[in-house]
């Protein structure tokens, strides 16, 4: 009887020990699993040109704002923003983002299309999700997502506004950007929008999306043409130079100026009802935030995100200007 009692106690002890050992193992596995989940972050690299001019400054600001917002909203996502002063530096950044940072996705606005095509292709070949912004690559089909402003639409909308405002008659001058595909797309669509009207383009000159060049080109136009009814500056940096030249010539009552991009200085003028700059047409540096948000959706939503996202060329008027005014942005 005593022996039987001893084995009963031993069996009970073993069952109890096994029960608590099992619970401890489950708890330990649970903690280990939780720790693993906590450590597994989705890394999204964002590679953009440095703030070498106004629009790029706005681009960097919006990228930084989006990074803060995304990381606050999604604790499991880590956004790494890097900026480069040239194509070679950007290519090195991409290599570092893959080999050192081990990113899961890349959002890239190429400094230049040709030199960055192969480096971005290598990122894709490494199995990363790729979003290209604004400047397309030289080879089609590399990226999963493409996000950009609408250059032809910017030209068309600007032309249609000037045509309507002048009632199909008048004399205008055009300040082009840098000789690029982007500039050509804008200008071709602008000219097409004027077809069939009696609006005369007195002259077109490249102002290189630069304020000082805009000032010099407009000075030349003002000296040669005694009558100018409207100016298409195409770009807000150019527009600021044009405004200065027109004011110095004391011809502000004679014409109006249409720029483009969404610079806060021009948006503020529109918002305040400045008759010299009645509208602006968006080509927003905030497109980088759109690209980042779309990329995040790849990892936070079951919705398909692959494809092309072409933003509208919104006309900014006094009525809606407040929606596009970012006073803290450098652009």
């Amino acid at each position: 009887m005593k022996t039987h009692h001893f084995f009963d106690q031993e069996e009970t002890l073993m069952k109890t020990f096994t029960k608590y050992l099992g619970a401890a193992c489950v708890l330990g596995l649970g903690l280990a699993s939780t720790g693993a989940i906590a450590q597994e972050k989705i890394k999204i690299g964002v590679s953009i040109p440095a703030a070498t001019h106004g629009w790029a400054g706005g681009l960097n600001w919006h990228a930084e704002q989006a990074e803060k917002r995304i990381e606050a909203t999604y604790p499991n996502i880590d956004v790494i923003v890097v900026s480069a002063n040239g194509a070679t530096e950007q290519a090195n950044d991409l290599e570092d983002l893959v080999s050192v940072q081990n990113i899961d996705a890349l959002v890239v606005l190429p400094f230049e299309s040709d030199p960055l095509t192969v480096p971005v292709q290598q990122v894709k070949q490494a199995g990363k999700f790729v979003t290209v912004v604004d400047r397309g690559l030289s080879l089609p089909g590399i990226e999963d997502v493409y996000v950009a402003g609408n250059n032809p639409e910017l030209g068309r909308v600007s032309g249609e506004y000037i045509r309507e405002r002048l009632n199909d008659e008048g004399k205008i001058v055009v300040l082009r950007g840098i000789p690029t595909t982007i500039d050509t797309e804008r200008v071709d669509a602008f000219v097409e929008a004027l077809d069939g009207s009696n609006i005369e383009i007195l002259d077109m000159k490249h102002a290189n999306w630069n304020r000082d060049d805009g000032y010099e080109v407009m000075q030349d136009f003002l000296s040669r043409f005694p009558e100018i009814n409207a100016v298409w500056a195409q770009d807000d940096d150019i527009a600021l130079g044009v405004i200065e030249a027109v004011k110095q010539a004391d011809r502000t009552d004679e014409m109006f100026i249409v720029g483009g991009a969404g610079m806060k200085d021009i948006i503020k003028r529109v918002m305040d009802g400045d008759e010299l700059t009645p509208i602006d047409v968006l080509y927003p540096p905030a497109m980088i935030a759109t690209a980042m948000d779309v990329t995040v959706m790849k990892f936070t939503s079951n919705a398909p995100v692959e494809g092309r996202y072409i933003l509208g060329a919104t006309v900014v008027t006094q009525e809606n200007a407040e929606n596009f005014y970012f006073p803290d942005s450098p652009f």
Side-chain angles (χ1 to χ4, degrees):
M1 292 292 292
K2 288 181 180 179
T3 304
H4 180 72
H5 179 66
F6 172 78
F7 281 111
D8 283 347
Q9 285 182 318
E10 184 179 36
E11 184 178 3
T12 301
L13 287 170
M14 286 300 293
K15 285 181 178 178
T16 303
F17 176 73
T18 302
K19 174 182 176 182
Y20 283 108
L21 179 63
C25 288
V26 170
L27 178 62
L29 287 171
L31 290 172
S33 175
T34 303
I37 291 171
Q39 292 173 3
E40 288 176 4
K41 280 201 169 191
I42 300 296
K43 290 187 177 182
I44 298 176
V46 180
S47 174
I48 54 179
T52 53
H53 62 283
W55 194 87
L59 182 84
N60 278 258
W61 185 82
H62 282 286
E64 290 165 5
Q65 297 302 306
E67 175 186 12
K68 294 174 185 175
R69 173 174 49 75
I70 289 167
E71 290 183 343
T73 305
Y74 303 102
N76 67 319
I77 291 182
D78 183 19
V79 179
I80 305 161
V81 178
V82 293
S83 59
N85 286 296
T88 301
E89 184 180 343
Q90 189 173 30
N92 292 336
D93 285 345
L94 298 190
E95 184 178 353
D96 181 74
L97 285 169
V98 172
S99 62
V100 178
Q101 301 291 346
N102 193 27
I103 58 171
D104 299 283
L106 171 69
V107 178
V108 57
L109 196 159
F111 201 96
E112 296 176 49
S113 297
D114 290 345
L116 268 301
T117 294
V118 170
V120 173
Q121 188 176 37
Q122 290 171 342
V123 174
K124 181 61 184 171
Q125 289 170 346
K128 314 304 179 183
F129 187 85
V130 174
T131 299
V132 173
V133 187
D134 190 37
R135 295 167 194 162
L137 301 173
S138 300
L139 295 175
I142 294 173
E143 69 274 6
D144 298 285
V145 170
Y146 178 65
V147 177
N150 194 328
N151 288 292
E153 186 74 357
L154 184 146
R156 184 187 65 79
V157 167
S158 301
E160 288 180 350
Y161 175 82
I162 290 174
R163 180 172 182 168
E164 181 179 353
R165 178 75 180 268
L166 294 179
N167 294 317
D168 272 7
E169 291 189 10
K171 301 178 185 294
I172 69 171
V173 291
V174 174
L175 291 87
R176 304 185 60 156
I178 294 171
T180 57
T181 302
I182 290 174
D183 174 70
T184 301
E185 288 178 348
R186 292 178 179 182
V187 173
D188 287 351
F190 177 82
V191 172
E192 186 176 347
L194 299 181
D195 281 352
S197 73
N198 292 318
I199 294 174
E200 179 186 358
I201 299 176
L202 299 170
D203 199 1
M204 290 190 190
K205 275 194 175 181
H206 290 284
N208 305 311
W209 297 321
N210 180 276
R211 188 178 310 188
D212 292 337
D213 290 350
Y215 175 77
E216 291 179 8
V217 171
M218 193 61 198
Q219 274 195 320
D220 172 62
F221 287 163
L222 291 166
S223 67
R224 290 194 289 123
F225 304 118
E227 181 185 355
I228 300 174
N229 304 120
V231 181
W232 184 43
Q234 194 197 106
D235 171 82
D236 288 339
D237 273 311
I238 294 175
L240 288 180
V242 171
I243 290 168
E244 186 62 30
V246 171
K247 284 184 173 180
Q248 284 189 12
D250 196 22
R251 293 175 64 175
T252 55
D253 294 337
E254 177 187 329
M255 67 192 75
F256 63 91
I257 301 160
V258 176
M263 176 189 283
K264 67 178 182 181
D265 294 346
I266 301 297
I267 298 295
K268 185 65 165 62
R269 288 174 180 273
V270 174
M271 194 160 56
D272 292 342
D274 179 14
E275 293 184 1
L276 192 58
T277 53
I279 68 160
D280 197 36
V281 183
L282 287 188
Y283 193 85
M287 68 175 67
I288 190 67
T290 303
M292 292 165 70
D293 285 335
V294 170
T295 304
V296 167
M297 283 178 61
K298 173 67 178 177
F299 302 96
T300 60
S301 169
N302 62 353
V305 298
E306 288 83 355
R308 294 171 62 85
Y309 295 77
I310 306 301
L311 307 179
T314 304
V315 177
V316 180
T317 64
Q318 189 175 11
E319 288 70 32
N320 67 4
E322 189 176 356
N323 299 329
F324 308 103
Y325 183 55
F326 300 99
D328 296 329
S329 169
F331 180 80

